[in-house]
Amino acid sequence: MITNSIPLLSFVGLALLAGVVCTQTIVLEAEDGTFTGNVVVDTSIPGFSGTGYVSGFSATADSVTVSTDVAAAGLYDLTVAYLSLYGEKKAYLTLNGSPSGELDLTSTTWANVSAGQVLLNAGTNTVGIQDDWGYYSIDAFYLSPALPPPPHQATAPPVNANATPEAKSLLKYIQQHYASSDLLSGQQDTDSITWLQQNAGKSPAIGGFDFMDYSPSRIPFGATSNATEQAIAWDAQGGIVTFVWHWNAPTDLLNTPEEPWYSGFYTAATTFNISEALADPTGNDYQLVLRDLDAIAVQLQRLSDANIPVLFRFLHEAEGGWFWWGAQGPDAAKALFRLGYDRFTNYHGLNNIIWVWNSVQSSWYPGDDVTDILSYDSYPAVGDHGPVSNVFNELIVLGQDQKVVALAEVGSIPDPTLTRAYYADWAYFVTWGGDYITDNTSNPLPFLIQVYNDPQVITLDKVGDFKHLP
Ligand SMILES: *[C@@H]1O[C@H](CO)[C@@H](O)[C@H](O)[C@H]1NC(C)=O
Ligand SMILES: *[C@@H]1O[C@H](CO)[C@@H](O)[C@H](O)[C@H]1NC(C)=O
Ligand SMILES: *[C@@H]1O[C@H](CO)[C@@H](O)[C@H](O)[C@H]1NC(C)=O
Ligand SMILES: *[C@@H]1O[C@H](CO)[C@@H](O)[C@H](O)[C@H]1NC(C)=O
């Protein structure tokens, strides 16, 4: 029995155990590649392989590309050896001249990062790195044949033992589609859902809504919301409900022309310090955190009263640091997540929530006992409809393949033919609203129509009774 805690990169090792003949790893040194822009071969930082490495990434035109010949078409694991002297930076990956996902480069010493899998054609192929945030050095690319992953093990009921029958059923429904490599479609915002129906002729299975304007610190400025009513209306149409919460900081908004009150969920728009607030449960800031959680509990209770299970993506994108709940590092974010879980579940007795975590790094993970679904928000380069398989695989490792893995927010929808080819079995995607769906660029209409008519993409007309599975 293959244990699921084995990182995917060891599938080659597993193949050897299983007696499958494996060809050797193909090593492609970056310094032997072709360059555009300002990149140069460097040798000043020891520890590289081959005769040097490539650095000087600082503008969009900067890239390195290496090429290799393979006898037969197939899926390969790609690893990139790199150095990111100034800490976390993102880099675009290219495959045969097209954008193919984004890499998160975090190590300040020479390291390998899994870039997921690449589908190579028979004959000559190229892979490369193109500047995104810049300031990294690329040493080498490693390609080795990939094997189909073992079946997913995400079958457990919700972490809240008192989950409502509807919440239990919804998680089971998602797990069943996940196991069949189906892809549930999703769309943020009522207006964008309407646009999709009118232009692509289909509605998504999942509707996305935001608790933002219920944040107590927005109310004095005149914010009002009917997001709960919108979700209730969506449920009445047979759709699945997901919520995010752009949580305006409880207090200490800068409210300047540059950082107005309505941007108060951004780190840059507040001096509220969550680390300090959590350190003193008797302090005013802690009480304000509870006040805010209680305000959102009122909305979740209304949804519960209407028998609506909610995929709740609490403290989204924490690891990015751009929202105040992630600005003081992983410990404060994890503590706040657990506080919220406890407040909603045990204090308010809300049992209609499926808990969706939305950061990838293991140091940020609040724990198996408070998480039902692991997710990622993906905004690749325009035109990139790749499978985001590198992050999929990281989340499989994070949840030891016991948790459903989903794309909670996307700018570009992944092409379902590619997610299948790469075994990147994302349970669902939710496209962000507005331009991302309507501008005919992030997701061109012909592509949307293709996705929304794919036999394995679940749309509203195919969703069925997800609340009452036996
Ligand atoms: C990266 O992986 C290659 C191939 O497996 C290995 O030779 C190399 O030592 C690794 N580099 C680092 C920094 O771990
Ligand atoms: C929510 O408010 C908007 C703007 O006032 C309105 O157009 C819409 O019909 C409301 N939706 C629901 C479900 O109440
Ligand atoms: C936030 O509070 C923590 C704990 O008191 C402190 O270590 C940290 O420096 C503070 N952060 C900022 C940005 O002031
Ligand atoms: C959208 O883009 C496609 C090409 O991707 C083009 O054929 C079509 O005319 C565009 N539609 C609109 C409404 O602009």
Side-chain angles (χ1 to χ4, degrees), residues 113-275:
V113 63
S114 167
Q117 281 86 35
V118 288
L119 200 55
L120 300 185
N121 308 315
T124 304
N125 293 269
T126 64
V127 293
I129 292 288
Q130 188 180 353
D131 181 80
D132 183 356
W133 295 8
Y135 304 104
Y136 22 74
S137 300
I138 305 298
D139 182 24
F141 299 80
Y142 304 99
L143 288 164
S144 45
L147 291 181
H152 301 299
Q153 308 295 316
T155 52
V159 285
N160 173 8
N162 299 319
T164 61
E166 291 83 4
K168 284 183 176 150
S169 174
L170 173 57
L171 184 59
K172 190 190 250 188
Y173 175 91
I174 292 172
Q175 288 167 340
Q176 287 178 356
H177 282 292
Y178 180 62
S180 311
S181 303
D182 292 337
L183 183 57
L184 290 154
S185 58
Q187 179 59 52
Q188 187 74 19
D189 291 343
T190 299
D191 288 351
S192 299
I193 293 173
T194 305
W195 183 93
L196 201 51
Q197 176 65 49
Q198 286 170 352
N199 290 274
K202 293 274 186 175
S203 287
I206 301 174
F209 307 92
D210 197 331
F211 287 128
M212 177 170 74
D213 279 324
Y214 298 111
S215 301
S217 73
R218 295 171 82 91
I219 307 295
F221 295 101
T224 60
S225 180
N226 66 359
T228 302
E229 282 77 5
Q230 292 180 45
I232 290 170
W234 176 243
D235 170 80
Q237 289 186 55
I240 297 168
V241 168
T242 186
F243 264 93
V244 67
W245 179 17
H246 283 93
W247 183 355
N248 235 62
T251 183
D252 303 334
L253 304 178
L254 297 186
N255 196 22
T256 59
E258 298 74 34
E259 302 293 349
W261 63 268
Y262 52 81
S263 298
F265 41 83
Y266 283 118
T267 301
T270 178
T271 57
F272 188 75
N273 184 331
I274 187 58
S275 208

Side-chain angles (χ1 to χ4, degrees), residues 175-451:
Q175 288 167 340
Q176 287 178 356
H177 282 292
Y178 180 62
S180 311
S181 303
D182 292 337
L183 183 57
L184 290 154
S185 58
Q187 179 59 52
Q188 187 74 19
D189 291 343
T190 299
D191 288 351
S192 299
I193 293 173
T194 305
W195 183 93
L196 201 51
Q197 176 65 49
Q198 286 170 352
N199 290 274
K202 293 274 186 175
S203 287
I206 301 174
F209 307 92
D210 197 331
F211 287 128
M212 177 170 74
D213 279 324
Y214 298 111
S215 301
S217 73
R218 295 171 82 91
I219 307 295
F221 295 101
T224 60
S225 180
N226 66 359
T228 302
E229 282 77 5
Q230 292 180 45
I232 290 170
W234 176 243
D235 170 80
Q237 289 186 55
I240 297 168
V241 168
T242 186
F243 264 93
V244 67
W245 179 17
H246 283 93
W247 183 355
N248 235 62
T251 183
D252 303 334
L253 304 178
L254 297 186
N255 196 22
T256 59
E258 298 74 34
E259 302 293 349
W261 63 268
Y262 52 81
S263 298
F265 41 83
Y266 283 118
T267 301
T270 178
T271 57
F272 188 75
N273 184 331
I274 187 58
S275 208
E276 243 166 41
L278 293 177
D280 179 12
T282 63
N284 190 48
D285 284 353
Y286 194 97
Q287 298 311 312
L288 291 175
V289 167
L290 296 184
R291 174 203 66 181
D292 285 12
L293 293 171
D294 295 350
I296 300 312
V298 170
Q299 303 307 319
L300 285 160
Q301 184 64 56
R302 296 174 65 206
L303 294 161
S304 184
D305 292 345
N307 293 321
I308 300 175
V310 177
L311 303 170
F312 183 33
R313 185 163 54 106
F314 183 46
L315 305 187
H316 69 292
E317 300 175 11
E319 70 188 341
W322 44 77
F323 298 135
W324 59 265
W325 52 85
Q328 301 302 323
D331 291 344
K334 286 187 283 193
L336 182 59
F337 192 91
R338 298 190 74 90
L339 175 66
Y341 179 91
D342 181 62
R343 190 79 177 174
F344 289 133
T345 307
N346 300 320
Y347 180 84
H348 288 292
L350 287 163
N351 296 321
N352 60 328
I353 302 172
I354 300 293
W355 290 87
V356 181
W357 178 240
N358 191 221
S359 295
V360 177
Q361 294 172 56
S362 58
S363 56
W364 288 77
Y365 184 44
D368 285 340
D369 59 332
V370 290
T371 313
D372 293 308
I373 294 180
L374 302 177
S375 69
Y376 175 63
D377 290 359
S378 174
Y379 287 88
V382 168
D384 180 355
H385 299 287
V388 205
S389 63
N390 56 330
V391 182
F392 180 84
N393 293 339
E394 284 178 64
L395 289 174
I396 289 290
V397 172
L398 179 65
Q400 298 178 304
D401 208 2
Q402 315 268 313
K403 304 284 183 187
V404 167
V405 168
L407 280 170
E409 218 180 275
V410 299
S412 294
I413 299 171
D415 185 334
T417 57
L418 292 176
T419 57
R420 286 191 291 267
Y422 281 78
Y423 312 108
D425 298 323
W426 299 105
Y428 59 83
F429 67 84
V430 180
T431 312
W432 199 244
D435 287 351
Y436 288 105
I437 194 72
T438 62
D439 70 2
N440 205 29
T441 303
S442 298
N443 296 289
L445 191 54
F447 173 73
L448 277 179
I449 290 170
Q450 175 210 313
V451 169

Side-chain angles (χ1 to χ4, degrees), residues 25-27 47 49 79-82 109-113 139-142 144:
T25 299
I26 303 168
V27 180
S49 65
T79 300
V80 178
Y82 77 98
T109 55
W110 290 111
N112 284 339
V113 63
D139 182 24
F141 299 80
Y142 304 99
S144 45

